Structure formats: structure tokens, C-alpha cells
Amino acid sequence: MSRQIILNFLSGLQTNNNREWMEANKKTYQDAKTAFEELVHALIQKISAFDSDIADLEPKQCIFRLNRDIRFSKDKSPYKLNFGAAMQKGGKKSRAGGYYIHIQPNQESFVGGGIYMPDASELAKIRQEIDYNGESLKKIIQNEAFIQRFGEIWGEKVKSAPKGYAKDHPDIELLKLKSFVVFEKFNDPDILKDDFADRCVAAFQALKPLNDFLNEAIL
């Protein structure tokens, strides 16, 4: 199924984020959802060639619900404006480092991965791994191909050295991180190209060493 239906549906949702519009466009939503499921299925198969932890996943284990949790939000819009899926060991609810795809019109799509906002115990384990084995992480993220594709690790940082680590620690900037995420952006026309899935997988393969480092720490 053409991925154009995904962009068309989400574009309409951006200006009509309400249940009445969704009810009137239920068929378009189902077609867009099916097209996204087909893409995620293809990605799982391709990722499995280099990461066996992904091999047994089904799209339904990876794809996030379109409905927003509005219980504690001032924004009461009922729906997200993107389709997203996390492909990692155990599926989207797992805390493992993995691979993420985000489709959103108006040049807002991206693929990426790593670990976003690990809990306190996981963050402590990752920091310990950086303390013990920081050279391995720096070798991954300072690789020229990694930098060209992703730039640097993205994540909010604590303002000063985390408890238990010296301010002059050689890897203090990495230790300050609270998330360990990288991403590569895609424009709308990219989504429609025949090689889009392969381009996503190329990015995922490039970030696998980062996932391996993080998962070694927490799993």
C-alpha cells in the first residue's frame, strides 16, 4: 500500500484533531494504519538480519497508539499527529535500547534510537558503564560515519556532576546526560521513495553499537 495515504491522513488530522473528523475519516485512518504496519513489518524483517533480538516482534508490539493521554495535560487534543513505532527487545514497552520510527508530515519525520529518559536505576547503570568503559562509547559516537549521520547524542543534562562523579571526570559531559538518543531526519518526499525502508535500516544499523553499549549496561 502506498505510504502517501499516511501523509494524507496525518495532514488532515493536523487541522482536524477531533473525534468527529476521525469518525468521518475512519476508512482513511484504517488504510493509513495498515500502510504503516506494512512499513514496520518490513523494517523488523530487515533489522533482524543484524539484530536477532528484533526477529520475533510483530508490528502490534511496536506501534504506539494514536490516542493521546490527556489526563494530566492542558492540551486536550485527542490524537497524536504522528505514527510511531519502537522496535526493541520485548517491544515498545521494553526499557531496552532500540530503534524508533516517527512519521509526521511537514518535514517532521525521523528515525532514531537509543534510550530516552531511563529510570534512576537504569541511568545509574549506564553512568557506571561510562565510568568503567567510556573509551568504548567515545569510539562509537566519535566515528566519522556516526557523526555524519547523527551528529551527537541528544539528551537533557544535569547541570553539575552527578553524585559520585568528579567534576573533572574525563567523560563528565557524557555522565551528565539523562537520555541517550540519536536521530536522523527525513523530508516528506523521502517517505514515498522505494528505498525509504532501506535508508531507515541503514540508520538503524549505524546506531546498533550504541544500543549494544546501553543494553550491556542495563540488561
Side-chain angles (χ1 to χ4, degrees):
M1 183 176 291
S2 171
R3 291 189 290 275
Q4 183 67 61
I5 190 67
I6 300 174
L7 297 177
N8 290 349
F9 167 74
L10 291 173
S11 293
L13 185 61
Q14 285 183 339
T15 53
N16 300 277
N17 197 336
N18 58 75
R19 291 183 174 82
E20 292 77 15
W21 184 88
M22 178 66 82
E23 183 65 25
N25 290 271
K26 186 178 294 185
K27 175 63 165 58
T28 305
Y29 165 62
Q30 291 297 336
D31 289 344
K33 181 181 177 183
T34 297
F36 187 65
E37 289 172 348
E38 290 174 354
L39 174 60
V40 173
H41 178 70
L43 292 176
I44 290 170
Q45 290 186 314
K46 291 175 180 291
I47 296 169
S48 298
F50 59 85
D51 191 338
S52 59
D53 286 341
I54 308 301
D56 294 332
L57 290 177
E58 297 291 337
K60 65 181 179 181
Q61 296 174 275
C62 306
I63 296 173
F64 293 99
R65 296 174 69 244
L66 191 65
N67 297 73
R68 295 179 62 248
D69 184 352
I70 60 175
R71 291 174 297 172
F72 310 108
S73 175
K74 292 181 180 179
D75 179 5
K76 298 303 180 181
S77 302
Y79 305 110
K80 301 172 187 174
L81 300 179
N82 67 82
F83 282 157
M87 295 154 285
Q88 56 213 37
K89 185 176 183 179
K92 63 188 176 186
K93 295 183 180 180
S94 167
R95 300 298 298 171
Y99 315 94
Y100 178 75
I101 181 168
H102 178 108
I103 302 296
Q104 184 171 344
N106 302 320
Q107 330 314 323
E108 296 291 337
S109 299
F110 63 89
V111 298
I115 296 180
Y116 177 71
M117 295 298 289
D119 65 27
S121 64
E122 293 164 345
L123 183 57
K125 291 176 182 178
I126 293 171
R127 284 175 171 161
Q128 184 178 68
E129 188 68 19
I130 293 171
D131 184 32
Y132 290 167
N133 203 15
E135 289 302 317
S136 293
L137 178 56
K138 287 188 286 188
K139 185 177 180 180
I140 294 167
I141 65 175
Q142 292 174 359
N143 178 275
E144 184 176 349
F146 186 95
I147 293 172
Q148 288 180 350
R149 186 178 289 277
F150 302 120
E152 60 184 2
I153 291 180
W154 176 89
E156 183 182 347
K157 290 185 177 182
V158 295
K159 293 182 179 180
S160 59
K163 185 177 180 180
Y165 296 98
K167 293 182 180 179
D168 61 351
H169 191 290
D171 299 318
I172 189 61
E173 293 305 314
L174 292 172
L175 290 168
K176 286 181 179 180
L177 285 166
K178 297 167 66 177
S179 287
F180 302 83
V181 175
V182 297
F183 60 90
E184 179 177 356
K185 293 184 177 181
F186 287 95
N187 295 324
D188 291 359
D190 295 325
I191 310 302
L192 307 178
K193 293 179 180 178
D194 291 340
D195 66 347
F196 176 63
D198 289 331
R199 293 176 65 185
C200 293
V201 171
F204 294 150
Q205 192 162 13
L207 72 83
K208 183 179 184 294
L210 174 61
N211 282 338
D212 290 344
F213 180 90
L214 297 171
N215 288 335
E216 180 70 21
I218 68 169
L219 298 183

